[in-house]
Amino acid sequence: MKRETLDKHSSRYAVGLMSGTSVDGIDAAVIELADRQEGSISVQMIAFENVPYPAAVRQEIFALFDPVQATVDRMGRLDVLLGELYADAALSVIAKAGLTPADITVIGSHGQTIYHAPQMEKLHGYDIHYTVQIGEGSVIRARTGIPCVTDFRPADMAAGGQGAPLVPFTEFLLYREEKRTLLLQNIGGIGNMTVIPAGCAQEEVFAFDTGPGNMIIDGVVERLFSGQLTMDIGGAIARRGRIHEGLLGLLKLEPYYSQPLPKSTGREQFGSSYIDWLLNEAGKQNVTPEDVVATVTMLTAWSIGDAYCRYVHGRYPADALIVGGGGSYNPVLVENLRREMEMLGVQVMTQEQIGQSSDAKEAVAFAILADYALRRQPNNLPNVTGAKRPVVMGKISF
Protein backbone atom coordinates (compact mmCIF):
# COMPACT_ATOMS: atom_id res chain seq x y z
CA MET A 1 0.00 0.00 0.00
CA LYS A 2 1.23 3.49 -0.84
CA ARG A 3 1.60 5.75 2.15
CA GLU A 4 0.28 8.79 0.29
CA THR A 5 -3.12 7.13 -0.21
CA LEU A 6 -3.85 7.15 3.54
CA ASP A 7 -5.37 9.85 5.69
CA LYS A 8 -2.89 9.75 8.59
CA HIS A 9 -5.20 11.76 10.83
CA SER A 10 -7.89 9.07 10.58
CA SER A 11 -5.72 6.25 11.96
CA ARG A 12 -7.34 4.54 14.93
CA TYR A 13 -7.29 1.29 16.91
CA ALA A 14 -10.18 -1.11 17.44
CA VAL A 15 -10.62 -4.45 19.21
CA GLY A 16 -12.67 -7.35 17.86
CA LEU A 17 -13.98 -10.24 19.94
CA MET A 18 -15.38 -13.44 18.46
CA SER A 19 -16.76 -16.62 19.99
CA GLY A 20 -18.15 -19.05 17.47
CA THR A 21 -20.51 -22.01 17.35
CA SER A 22 -17.70 -24.41 18.30
CA VAL A 23 -17.59 -22.71 21.74
CA ASP A 24 -13.86 -23.27 22.09
CA GLY A 25 -13.01 -19.81 23.41
CA ILE A 26 -12.71 -16.10 22.74
CA ASP A 27 -10.68 -14.78 19.81
CA ALA A 28 -9.45 -11.24 20.49
CA ALA A 29 -7.70 -8.99 17.96
CA VAL A 30 -6.37 -5.44 17.96
CA ILE A 31 -6.33 -3.74 14.57
CA GLU A 32 -5.25 -0.37 13.25
CA LEU A 33 -7.58 1.22 10.71
CA ALA A 34 -6.97 4.17 8.44
CA ASP A 35 -9.19 5.79 5.81
CA ARG A 36 -7.95 5.83 2.24
CA GLN A 37 -8.48 8.88 0.09
CA GLU A 38 -10.71 6.94 -2.32
CA GLY A 39 -13.16 6.10 0.49
CA SER A 40 -12.04 2.59 1.45
CA ILE A 41 -10.07 1.59 4.54
CA SER A 42 -6.68 0.11 5.31
CA VAL A 43 -6.48 -2.51 8.08
CA GLN A 44 -3.46 -3.94 9.87
CA MET A 45 -3.64 -6.50 12.67
CA ILE A 46 -1.50 -5.48 15.64
CA ALA A 47 -2.07 -8.33 18.12
CA PHE A 48 -4.14 -11.49 18.52
CA GLU A 49 -4.94 -13.90 21.35
CA ASN A 50 -7.22 -16.87 21.82
CA VAL A 51 -8.57 -17.29 25.34
CA PRO A 52 -10.14 -20.74 25.92
CA TYR A 53 -13.38 -20.88 27.86
CA PRO A 54 -13.00 -22.49 31.30
CA ALA A 55 -14.41 -26.01 31.08
CA ALA A 56 -17.25 -25.23 33.50
CA VAL A 57 -18.27 -22.14 31.51
CA ARG A 58 -18.22 -24.10 28.26
CA GLN A 59 -20.47 -26.68 29.86
CA GLU A 60 -22.92 -23.96 30.96
CA ILE A 61 -23.01 -22.50 27.44
CA PHE A 62 -23.83 -25.90 25.95
CA ALA A 63 -26.64 -26.29 28.47
CA LEU A 64 -28.22 -23.10 27.11
CA PHE A 65 -28.38 -24.59 23.62
CA ASP A 66 -31.24 -26.71 24.97
CA PRO A 67 -34.28 -24.40 25.20
CA VAL A 68 -35.62 -26.45 28.11
CA GLN A 69 -32.50 -25.66 30.16
CA ALA A 70 -32.15 -22.07 28.95
CA THR A 71 -34.16 -20.56 31.79
CA VAL A 72 -34.26 -16.79 32.25
CA ASP A 73 -32.02 -16.85 35.33
CA ARG A 74 -29.37 -19.05 33.70
CA MET A 75 -29.39 -16.95 30.53
CA GLY A 76 -29.14 -13.68 32.44
CA ARG A 77 -26.35 -14.89 34.70
CA LEU A 78 -24.23 -16.19 31.82
CA ASP A 79 -24.88 -13.05 29.77
CA VAL A 80 -23.14 -11.00 32.46
CA LEU A 81 -20.42 -13.58 33.12
CA LEU A 82 -19.45 -13.66 29.44
CA GLY A 83 -19.34 -9.87 29.47
CA GLU A 84 -16.72 -10.14 32.21
CA LEU A 85 -14.73 -12.77 30.29
CA TYR A 86 -14.87 -10.75 27.07
CA ALA A 87 -13.69 -7.64 28.91
CA ASP A 88 -10.74 -9.59 30.34
CA ALA A 89 -9.87 -10.87 26.85
CA ALA A 90 -10.03 -7.33 25.43
CA LEU A 91 -7.77 -5.90 28.14
CA SER A 92 -5.30 -8.76 27.69
CA VAL A 93 -4.94 -8.34 23.92
CA ILE A 94 -4.68 -4.55 24.28
CA ALA A 95 -1.75 -5.05 26.67
CA LYS A 96 -0.21 -7.56 24.26
CA ALA A 97 -0.37 -4.90 21.54
CA GLY A 98 1.58 -2.52 23.78
CA LEU A 99 -1.39 -0.17 24.01
CA THR A 100 -3.69 1.09 26.76
CA PRO A 101 -7.51 1.19 26.80
CA ALA A 102 -7.30 4.94 26.19
CA ASP A 103 -5.73 4.18 22.78
CA ILE A 104 -8.72 2.13 21.61
CA THR A 105 -11.64 3.78 19.82
CA VAL A 106 -14.13 0.90 20.00
CA ILE A 107 -14.60 -2.77 20.86
CA GLY A 108 -16.76 -4.96 18.63
CA SER A 109 -18.02 -8.18 20.25
CA HIS A 110 -20.00 -10.77 18.33
CA GLY A 111 -21.09 -12.47 21.55
CA GLN A 112 -21.94 -16.14 21.97
CA THR A 113 -24.83 -17.30 19.80
CA ILE A 114 -27.33 -19.27 21.85
CA TYR A 115 -30.17 -19.51 19.35
CA HIS A 116 -30.58 -18.33 15.76
CA ALA A 117 -33.98 -18.57 14.04
CA PRO A 118 -33.66 -16.76 10.68
CA GLN A 119 -36.82 -18.16 9.03
CA MET A 120 -39.98 -16.07 9.28
CA GLU A 121 -42.95 -17.36 11.27
CA LYS A 122 -46.36 -15.81 11.90
CA LEU A 123 -47.00 -14.68 15.47
CA HIS A 124 -50.16 -12.73 16.36
CA GLY A 125 -50.35 -11.44 12.81
CA TYR A 126 -46.71 -10.38 12.54
CA ASP A 127 -43.83 -11.93 10.59
CA ILE A 128 -41.27 -12.78 13.26
CA HIS A 129 -37.73 -14.09 13.19
CA TYR A 130 -35.13 -13.72 15.89
CA THR A 131 -31.67 -14.40 17.22
CA VAL A 132 -30.05 -14.57 20.66
CA GLN A 133 -26.41 -13.68 21.40
CA ILE A 134 -25.12 -13.16 24.95
CA GLY A 135 -22.11 -11.35 26.43
CA GLU A 136 -23.33 -8.06 27.89
CA GLY A 137 -21.79 -5.05 26.14
CA SER A 138 -22.41 -2.68 29.04
CA VAL A 139 -20.22 -4.90 31.22
CA ILE A 140 -17.43 -4.83 28.62
CA ARG A 141 -17.75 -1.04 28.47
CA ALA A 142 -17.73 -0.69 32.27
CA ARG A 143 -14.63 -2.86 32.74
CA THR A 144 -12.58 -1.44 29.87
CA GLY A 145 -13.78 2.17 29.63
CA ILE A 146 -14.11 1.71 25.84
CA PRO A 147 -17.35 2.08 23.81
CA CYS A 148 -18.54 -1.41 22.91
CA VAL A 149 -20.69 -2.55 19.99
CA THR A 150 -22.60 -5.82 20.43
CA ASP A 151 -25.69 -7.64 19.16
CA PHE A 152 -25.07 -6.98 15.47
CA ARG A 153 -27.61 -9.34 13.91
CA PRO A 154 -31.03 -7.92 14.97
CA ALA A 155 -30.78 -4.71 12.91
CA ASP A 156 -30.35 -6.72 9.72
CA MET A 157 -33.19 -9.06 10.71
CA ALA A 158 -35.50 -6.12 11.47
CA ALA A 159 -34.89 -5.04 7.84
CA GLY A 160 -35.99 -8.46 6.60
CA GLY A 161 -32.57 -10.16 6.49
CA GLN A 162 -31.37 -13.35 8.14
CA GLY A 163 -28.78 -11.57 10.28
CA ALA A 164 -26.12 -13.81 8.78
CA PRO A 165 -23.58 -14.11 7.45
CA LEU A 166 -22.01 -10.82 8.56
CA VAL A 167 -18.31 -11.23 7.76
CA PRO A 168 -18.75 -10.86 3.95
CA PHE A 169 -19.02 -7.09 4.40
CA THR A 170 -15.42 -6.99 5.65
CA GLU A 171 -14.23 -9.66 3.22
CA PHE A 172 -15.27 -7.43 0.32
CA LEU A 173 -13.24 -4.58 1.83
CA LEU A 174 -10.13 -6.68 2.44
CA TYR A 175 -9.98 -9.36 -0.27
CA ARG A 176 -11.53 -8.05 -3.49
CA GLU A 177 -9.28 -8.36 -6.57
CA GLU A 178 -9.69 -6.91 -10.05
CA LYS A 179 -8.80 -10.02 -12.04
CA ARG A 180 -9.57 -13.05 -9.85
CA THR A 181 -12.86 -14.39 -8.52
CA LEU A 182 -12.27 -15.53 -4.95
CA LEU A 183 -14.21 -17.74 -2.58
CA LEU A 184 -13.67 -17.11 1.14
CA GLN A 185 -14.61 -20.26 3.05
CA ASN A 186 -14.79 -20.14 6.82
CA ILE A 187 -14.95 -23.50 8.58
CA GLY A 188 -15.96 -22.84 12.15
CA GLY A 189 -18.77 -24.77 13.79
CA ILE A 190 -20.75 -23.90 10.65
CA GLY A 191 -19.22 -23.47 7.20
CA ASN A 192 -19.90 -20.29 5.27
CA MET A 193 -18.80 -19.14 1.81
CA THR A 194 -18.37 -15.61 0.49
CA VAL A 195 -18.21 -15.12 -3.28
CA ILE A 196 -16.21 -12.08 -4.43
CA PRO A 197 -16.38 -11.83 -8.24
CA ALA A 198 -13.42 -10.26 -10.04
CA GLY A 199 -13.66 -6.47 -10.08
CA CYS A 200 -17.09 -6.57 -8.45
CA ALA A 201 -19.11 -3.84 -6.80
CA GLN A 202 -20.30 -4.34 -3.24
CA GLU A 203 -23.78 -5.25 -4.49
CA GLU A 204 -22.42 -8.24 -6.43
CA VAL A 205 -20.93 -10.00 -3.42
CA PHE A 206 -23.01 -12.86 -2.08
CA ALA A 207 -22.56 -15.37 0.71
CA PHE A 208 -24.34 -18.14 2.56
CA ASP A 209 -23.82 -20.93 5.07
CA THR A 210 -22.71 -24.08 3.27
CA GLY A 211 -23.76 -26.31 6.18
CA PRO A 212 -21.83 -27.95 9.01
CA GLY A 213 -18.19 -27.07 9.44
CA ASN A 214 -16.63 -28.58 12.54
CA MET A 215 -19.92 -28.90 14.42
CA ILE A 216 -20.78 -32.45 13.40
CA ILE A 217 -17.15 -33.60 13.52
CA ASP A 218 -16.74 -32.25 17.06
CA GLY A 219 -20.13 -33.60 18.06
CA VAL A 220 -19.49 -37.20 17.05
CA VAL A 221 -15.95 -37.16 18.48
CA GLU A 222 -17.23 -35.91 21.83
CA ARG A 223 -19.86 -38.68 21.91
CA LEU A 224 -17.77 -41.54 20.56
CA PHE A 225 -14.64 -40.71 22.56
CA SER A 226 -16.39 -39.37 25.64
CA GLY A 227 -14.06 -38.05 28.33
CA GLN A 228 -11.06 -38.32 26.01
CA LEU A 229 -11.54 -35.80 23.19
CA THR A 230 -13.83 -32.93 22.19
CA MET A 231 -12.46 -32.59 18.64
CA ASP A 232 -10.45 -34.53 16.06
CA ILE A 233 -7.08 -32.89 16.67
CA GLY A 234 -5.12 -32.69 13.43
CA GLY A 235 -7.62 -35.03 11.75
CA ALA A 236 -5.93 -37.99 13.45
CA ILE A 237 -9.11 -40.03 13.93
CA ALA A 238 -10.41 -39.36 10.41
CA ARG A 239 -7.07 -40.44 8.96
CA ARG A 240 -7.40 -43.83 10.70
CA GLY A 241 -10.91 -44.33 9.35
CA ARG A 242 -12.52 -44.90 5.99
CA ILE A 243 -15.36 -43.00 4.39
CA HIS A 244 -18.54 -45.08 4.65
CA GLU A 245 -20.35 -44.42 1.40
CA GLY A 246 -23.73 -45.66 2.66
CA LEU A 247 -23.74 -43.31 5.63
CA LEU A 248 -22.33 -40.44 3.55
CA GLY A 249 -25.05 -40.92 0.95
CA LEU A 250 -27.71 -40.71 3.66
CA LEU A 251 -26.21 -37.55 5.14
CA LYS A 252 -26.13 -35.86 1.73
CA LEU A 253 -29.95 -36.06 1.63
CA GLU A 254 -30.26 -33.33 4.29
CA PRO A 255 -32.69 -30.75 2.79
CA TYR A 256 -30.61 -27.76 3.91
CA TYR A 257 -28.06 -28.35 1.16
CA SER A 258 -30.59 -27.66 -1.60
CA GLN A 259 -32.43 -24.74 0.01
CA PRO A 260 -32.42 -21.54 -2.09
CA LEU A 261 -30.34 -18.50 -1.18
CA PRO A 262 -30.15 -16.54 1.02
CA LYS A 263 -29.75 -19.13 3.73
CA SER A 264 -28.05 -19.58 7.07
CA THR A 265 -28.00 -22.32 9.66
CA GLY A 266 -26.61 -23.23 13.06
CA ARG A 267 -26.72 -25.52 16.04
CA GLU A 268 -30.52 -25.64 15.83
CA GLN A 269 -30.10 -27.63 12.60
CA PHE A 270 -26.87 -29.56 13.12
CA GLY A 271 -26.57 -29.75 16.90
CA SER A 272 -27.31 -32.37 19.53
CA SER A 273 -30.50 -33.81 18.02
CA TYR A 274 -28.83 -34.20 14.64
CA ILE A 275 -25.89 -36.01 16.27
CA ASP A 276 -28.34 -38.36 18.03
CA TRP A 277 -29.96 -39.22 14.70
CA LEU A 278 -26.63 -39.57 12.86
CA LEU A 279 -25.11 -41.94 15.42
CA ASN A 280 -28.29 -44.01 15.47
CA GLU A 281 -28.09 -44.41 11.68
CA ALA A 282 -24.37 -45.23 11.92
CA GLY A 283 -25.18 -47.92 14.47
CA LYS A 284 -27.73 -49.49 12.13
CA GLN A 285 -25.01 -49.77 9.47
CA ASN A 286 -22.33 -50.97 11.93
CA VAL A 287 -20.04 -48.08 11.12
CA THR A 288 -16.93 -47.96 13.36
CA PRO A 289 -16.17 -44.79 15.36
CA GLU A 290 -13.15 -43.99 13.18
CA ASP A 291 -15.21 -44.46 10.01
CA VAL A 292 -17.96 -42.19 11.38
CA VAL A 293 -15.40 -39.41 11.94
CA ALA A 294 -13.85 -39.95 8.50
CA THR A 295 -17.31 -39.84 6.91
CA VAL A 296 -18.52 -36.64 8.58
CA THR A 297 -15.18 -34.99 7.80
CA MET A 298 -15.79 -35.82 4.15
CA LEU A 299 -19.36 -34.52 4.49
CA THR A 300 -18.11 -31.04 5.37
CA ALA A 301 -15.76 -31.01 2.36
CA TRP A 302 -18.49 -32.35 0.06
CA SER A 303 -21.02 -29.77 1.27
CA ILE A 304 -18.64 -26.95 0.30
CA GLY A 305 -18.02 -28.37 -3.16
CA ASP A 306 -21.72 -29.07 -3.62
CA ALA A 307 -22.61 -25.50 -2.61
CA TYR A 308 -20.10 -24.12 -5.11
CA CYS A 309 -21.61 -26.24 -7.89
CA ARG A 310 -25.22 -25.34 -6.98
CA TYR A 311 -24.94 -21.62 -6.34
CA VAL A 312 -21.70 -20.22 -7.74
CA HIS A 313 -20.01 -22.06 -10.59
CA GLY A 314 -22.58 -21.28 -13.27
CA ARG A 315 -22.39 -17.53 -12.60
CA TYR A 316 -18.85 -16.95 -11.35
CA PRO A 317 -16.30 -19.71 -12.05
CA ALA A 318 -13.80 -19.15 -9.24
CA ASP A 319 -10.03 -19.00 -9.42
CA ALA A 320 -9.26 -19.77 -5.78
CA LEU A 321 -10.88 -20.74 -2.48
CA ILE A 322 -9.21 -19.40 0.67
CA VAL A 323 -9.96 -21.43 3.79
CA GLY A 324 -10.03 -20.01 7.31
CA GLY A 325 -11.43 -20.96 10.70
CA GLY A 326 -10.59 -23.90 12.92
CA GLY A 327 -11.30 -26.41 10.16
CA SER A 328 -8.31 -25.13 8.21
CA TYR A 329 -6.10 -26.80 10.84
CA ASN A 330 -7.57 -30.24 10.07
CA PRO A 331 -5.32 -31.56 7.28
CA VAL A 332 -7.69 -34.42 6.38
CA LEU A 333 -10.56 -31.97 5.93
CA VAL A 334 -8.39 -29.64 3.84
CA GLU A 335 -7.15 -32.56 1.70
CA ASN A 336 -10.73 -33.68 1.08
CA LEU A 337 -11.74 -30.13 0.22
CA ARG A 338 -8.79 -29.70 -2.11
CA ARG A 339 -9.80 -32.83 -4.03
CA GLU A 340 -13.42 -31.63 -4.27
CA MET A 341 -12.53 -28.16 -5.50
CA GLU A 342 -9.53 -28.80 -7.72
CA MET A 343 -11.65 -31.18 -9.81
CA LEU A 344 -13.70 -28.05 -10.50
CA GLY A 345 -10.66 -25.96 -11.41
CA VAL A 346 -10.50 -24.05 -8.10
CA GLN A 347 -7.19 -23.71 -6.26
CA VAL A 348 -7.47 -24.21 -2.47
CA MET A 349 -5.28 -22.23 -0.07
CA THR A 350 -5.40 -21.49 3.64
CA GLN A 351 -5.34 -18.01 5.15
CA GLU A 352 -1.81 -18.70 6.36
CA GLN A 353 -0.64 -19.47 2.83
CA ILE A 354 -1.60 -15.93 1.79
CA GLY A 355 -0.01 -14.34 4.86
CA GLN A 356 -3.18 -13.98 6.95
CA SER A 357 -4.48 -15.67 10.12
CA SER A 358 -7.27 -18.25 10.12
CA ASP A 359 -7.79 -17.77 13.86
CA ALA A 360 -7.98 -13.98 13.81
CA LYS A 361 -10.07 -13.39 10.68
CA GLU A 362 -13.50 -13.13 12.31
CA ALA A 363 -12.29 -11.16 15.33
CA VAL A 364 -10.75 -8.67 12.90
CA ALA A 365 -14.08 -8.54 11.07
CA PHE A 366 -16.03 -7.55 14.18
CA ALA A 367 -13.53 -4.81 14.97
CA ILE A 368 -14.21 -3.37 11.50
CA LEU A 369 -17.98 -3.78 11.83
CA ALA A 370 -17.86 -1.94 15.17
CA ASP A 371 -15.82 0.88 13.64
CA TYR A 372 -18.48 1.34 10.97
CA ALA A 373 -21.28 1.23 13.56
CA LEU A 374 -19.60 3.87 15.71
CA ARG A 375 -19.38 6.14 12.65
CA ARG A 376 -23.03 5.42 11.78
CA GLN A 377 -22.06 3.81 8.48
CA PRO A 378 -24.07 0.87 7.06
CA ASN A 379 -22.23 -2.40 7.67
CA ASN A 380 -24.43 -5.15 6.23
CA LEU A 381 -24.68 -6.52 2.69
CA PRO A 382 -28.39 -6.81 1.81
CA ASN A 383 -27.56 -9.03 -1.16
CA VAL A 384 -25.97 -11.49 1.28
CA THR A 385 -28.42 -11.50 4.18
CA GLY A 386 -31.63 -10.82 2.30
CA ALA A 387 -32.27 -7.51 4.07
CA LYS A 388 -34.40 -4.97 2.22
CA ARG A 389 -31.84 -2.18 2.68
CA PRO A 390 -28.43 -1.33 4.12
CA VAL A 391 -28.52 -0.78 7.89
CA VAL A 392 -26.13 0.11 10.70
CA MET A 393 -25.80 -3.08 12.73
CA GLY A 394 -24.85 -3.13 16.39
CA LYS A 395 -25.99 -1.76 19.75
CA ILE A 396 -23.52 0.63 21.32
CA SER A 397 -22.70 0.84 25.02
CA PHE A 398 -21.15 4.27 25.59
Side-chain angles (χ1 to χ4, degrees), residues 73-94:
D73 58 329
R74 295 184 75 174
M75 188 82 77
R77 185 170 61 235
L78 206 57
D79 182 37
V80 174
L81 175 62
L82 291 189
E84 299 282 2
L85 294 178
Y86 294 160
D88 287 346
L91 292 170
S92 177
V93 78
I94 290 167

Side-chain angles (χ1 to χ4, degrees), residues 121-128:
E121 60 177 280
K122 280 288 186 184
L123 185 64
H124 301 297
Y126 292 92
D127 290 324
I128 299 295

